[in-house]
Amino acid sequence: MNTPHVIVVMGVAGTGKTTIGPLLAQALGVPYAEGDDFHSPANISKMSAGTPLDDEDRGPWLDAIGAWAHSRAGRGGVVSSSALKRTYRDRLRAAAPEAVFLHLTGDRELIEQRMAERKGHFMPAALLDSQYAALQPLQDDEAGVAVDVSGTPEAITDRAVAALRRPDQ
């Protein structure tokens, strides 16, 4: 990555998007936007009640994230978004064609443990099954990399920076 891209930190709930996103932004010297902040109050209420969002719920949220990513074109930035389905990533790319995806992946047991340990988040661990059911990993024709989330946040961030700086990114 030689030019400032917008990096979309993606993955199922509990992979560390909110932890890794700011660390990655700091390492790259660009601003960070928390994807959860783009959710409507209705979406947050729905998830808090243990009801997964559907595509209709996610549309305005994805559009808001896409608008932020578009506003950072040519200047770079990092934003978190589960971006679980290819159609969601396509929608984000329609707004910000140069977006690059960082897919945080990990052992389900580790992710469940992290979700159980976090405090004050609206997304209950009970929705993890729906997240995995919706997940469509990055395809070969999508700009992005996958990084394992085992280890410390700093180690994960270092792996992400190294992967994103490969010449093919």
Side-chain angles (χ1 to χ4, degrees):
M1 236 180 31
N2 296 328
T3 58
H5 288 279
V6 172
I7 309 299
V8 179
V9 182
M10 63 168 281
V12 299
T15 54
K17 297 180 294 291
T18 298
T19 300
I20 302 306
L23 292 173
L24 180 63
Q26 182 179 19
L28 298 176
V30 297
Y32 172 72
E34 171 55 52
D36 287 343
D37 293 344
F38 294 93
H39 275 299
S40 68
N43 280 5
I44 291 172
S45 293
K46 192 171 184 177
M47 289 183 285
S48 295
T51 304
L53 299 181
D54 58 28
D55 289 352
E56 188 175 320
D57 297 323
R58 285 189 181 97
W61 174 67
L62 290 166
D63 292 342
I65 291 171
W68 184 89
H70 178 78
S71 77
R72 297 300 310 164
R75 297 180 294 150
V78 175
V79 63
S80 59
S81 169
S82 53
L84 298 175
K85 293 183 180 179
R86 170 73 185 247
T87 56
Y88 304 163
R89 296 188 298 272
D90 288 345
R91 191 167 182 155
L92 292 172
R93 273 190 296 269
E98 299 299 318
V100 174
F101 292 84
L102 171 64
H103 183 183
L104 299 179
T105 64
D107 176 77
R108 184 186 176 105
E109 197 172 297
L110 173 65
I111 293 167
E112 284 179 306
Q113 175 188 351
R114 287 182 179 173
M115 284 188 80
E117 291 171 355
R118 67 185 186 181
K119 307 266 186 273
H121 196 278
F122 59 82
M123 176 68 111
L127 290 181
L128 192 55
D129 285 339
S130 70
Q131 294 259 302
Y132 273 107
L135 177 63
Q136 296 171 343
L138 286 174
Q139 301 299 302
D140 290 341
D141 64 334
E142 293 184 271
V145 295
V147 172
D148 182 76
V149 296
S150 58
T152 65
E154 294 76 17
I156 298 163
T157 302
D158 288 346
R159 285 196 301 271
V161 169
L164 289 164
R165 288 196 169 144
R166 287 195 323 244
D168 57 336
Q169 293 310 314

